[in-house]
Amino acid sequence: MIAKLLELLYYKVLINIIVSSRKTVIYVDVISNAKSVKTAKKEFHTTVLTSEMVSFINQYTAESPFFYIAFLDNSKEQGAVPTCSRAKYGYYGLDEGFYESVCLQKTWSCYTSREDIYAVEKAYNAIGLDFIFSPFIVLSHIYKDKMGSTLSMYILVEENYLSLSIYEEGILLFAQHLDLENSQDTAEMVLDEGLETQDDLILDDSEELLLDDDLGDELEVLDDLGDLEDLDSLEDIDEFATVDMEEELLQEEEELNTKDTNDSTDNLDGGEFNEDYQRFGLIQSSLKEFYSDDRYNSNFIEFVYIADAIGVSKDLKHYLEEEMFLTVYVRKIELHTIVNDLVKRELGIK
């Protein structure tokens, strides 16, 4: 009774911490009578807790004894499985003793390695953490109105990670937490497959180009020259002109290859793989695993819902629609406000 009275007298202060590869975002929501009376957001260009962050947090927590600090789990060793039985973790390739997990909706669990959980708690010991939310909980909260319908794939896009899950009629079937930083090999594999297809197309294009009179004549001359055993005996051939023509044709062919490859994949940027193409490669690989693995009751997926927390380009949607024939819907989100909503839900603030 006294506790309830005190809650009415004091604000509730919600502190939400989102860490990416290069920065930390701290979002504050001060609540009175279930309504926000003040909010604040600040970015820090570091991924570790600093005295500046602690000072920023303390100026708000000092306003009330009722403050709650939430953290979005950014561990690499995490994921979700379609069971709440730890005894069944081994069926999905997990070591039961290695992970901490939480059961949701009595049908699925999100998990994180104990080592990562302890590391996070230690790193934020100076302020203490009340909640650590899995990105899969974030994803299920964002699309709670969609997951009860047809078989669909849902993806949370963060700077470093993709959290991918597949639901059918509200039941989790499959989930993976994908690390973009360590995805280069996967992206290269997918790109190589795409380039093989493009090489076939380029070869066909070259055959069609033979119909062009000028280029066809030039190629015919080169073919004839290639059949001659002794070029030196031909007085009418200008050797330098032939070399120039060969180089010109090779350069022309190289330009055609480069143009077609860039137009079809659009995945190179200063010699580096385009990040959205890497994301596409990871999604394609996960979907292939879902379809091929007997552990999952896999049917054809038509719809993909993407919660975009970083502002991806239109390329990702394009790749999924054009290469995999999926229908894609993208929703831009702010992670700190989603996590804040989750804290409110946990505290019963409506």
Side-chain angles (χ1 to χ4, degrees), residues 14 101 123 133 148 220 228 230 235 242 267 279 292 336 338:
L14 314 185
S101 62
F133 289 109
E220 184 177 354
L228 298 176
D230 187 3
E235 298 179 357
T242 302
N267 62 351
R279 294 183 178 100
S292 61
H336 56 273
I338 302 297

Side-chain angles (χ1 to χ4, degrees), residues 298-327:
S298 55
N299 293 314
F300 179 72
I301 292 174
E302 182 180 356
F303 300 103
V304 178
Y305 296 88
I306 296 177
D308 176 15
I310 61 170
V312 296
S313 71
K314 294 180 181 179
D315 291 344
L316 180 58
K317 184 175 186 290
H318 172 78
Y319 295 142
L320 293 171
E321 289 181 335
E322 297 298 322
E323 301 292 334
M324 300 181 68
F325 308 106
L326 297 165
T327 301

